[in-house]
Amino acid sequence: MAFPEDLLYSREHTWARIDGNLAVVGLTDYAQEKLGELLDIELPQVDDPADQDEPFGTLETAKGVLELIAPVSGDVVRVNDDLIDDIGLIGSDPYDTGWMIVIEMKDFSELENLLNAREYENYIEEEEELA
């Protein structure tokens, strides 16, 4: 499975596309495939805080409820309301129209905690070997 090279990835299977001080955040294709059918999503409101490695929302799937974990800290400045009407965007286009939130970052050093595409791919391989 190839992952977009222009993104950074968390060990909790969220991705971040960095543009200046903004981070567009979504769920990786790998994660959504593992979750099976997506049923419902709960996202934060604009101006809500997000903290790295802490939940910012939930995703209800056929297998249960998953907490969505923020890859960076800051304030939520945009929410993808299209997902409320069409949660399938997460599965059909996870790295473009399936984005979830945009965070205005406060601490750029947090990016050092994230993985590049190759590191994320290796992380998944290790995780699957342990499963």
Side-chain angles (χ1 to χ4, degrees), residues 8-15 27-28 30-31 52-53 66 69-71 110-116 119-120 122-124 126-127:
L8 295 172
Y9 300 87
S10 76
R11 288 170 179 81
E12 288 78 26
H13 308 292
T14 52
W15 55 261
L27 187 70
T28 67
Y30 169 81
Q52 187 176 51
D53 298 329
L66 171 79
I69 305 298
E110 289 182 342
L111 297 177
E112 296 170 15
N113 299 327
L114 302 177
L115 309 171
N116 65 33
E119 291 167 333
Y120 181 64
N122 291 339
Y123 173 73
I124 287 172
E126 291 170 14
E127 199 175 63

Side-chain angles (χ1 to χ4, degrees), residues 83-98:
L83 298 180
I84 305 301
D85 298 325
D86 186 4
I87 197 166
L89 291 172
I90 295 169
S92 63
D93 196 8
Y95 301 113
D96 193 14
T97 57

Side-chain angles (χ1 to χ4, degrees), residues 74-88:
D75 293 319
V76 176
V77 293
R78 280 185 68 202
V79 176
N80 188 351
D81 292 326
D82 293 344
L83 298 180
I84 305 301
D85 298 325
D86 186 4
I87 197 166

Side-chain angles (χ1 to χ4, degrees), residues 13-104:
H13 308 292
T14 52
W15 55 261
R17 179 178 290 115
I18 308 303
D19 183 11
N21 67 338
L22 299 178
V24 179
V25 175
L27 187 70
T28 67
D29 193 34
Y30 169 81
Q32 66 85 22
E33 279 185 16
K34 288 284 186 201
L35 294 170
E37 184 183 2
L38 306 179
L39 304 174
D40 195 22
I41 189 165
E42 190 174 304
L43 295 171
Q45 302 294 313
V46 170
D47 293 330
D48 281 355
D51 293 311
Q52 187 176 51
D53 298 329
E54 295 295 327
F56 68 84
T58 58
L59 189 60
E60 186 181 342
T61 74
K63 295 182 178 180
V65 177
L66 171 79
E67 288 188 326
L68 300 166
I69 305 298
V72 296
S73 300
D75 293 319
V76 176
V77 293
R78 280 185 68 202
V79 176
N80 188 351
D81 292 326
D82 293 344
L83 298 180
I84 305 301
D85 298 325
D86 186 4
I87 197 166
L89 291 172
I90 295 169
S92 63
D93 196 8
Y95 301 113
D96 193 14
T97 57
W99 65 275
M100 296 178 177
I101 60 173
V102 178
I103 298 172
E104 186 174 359

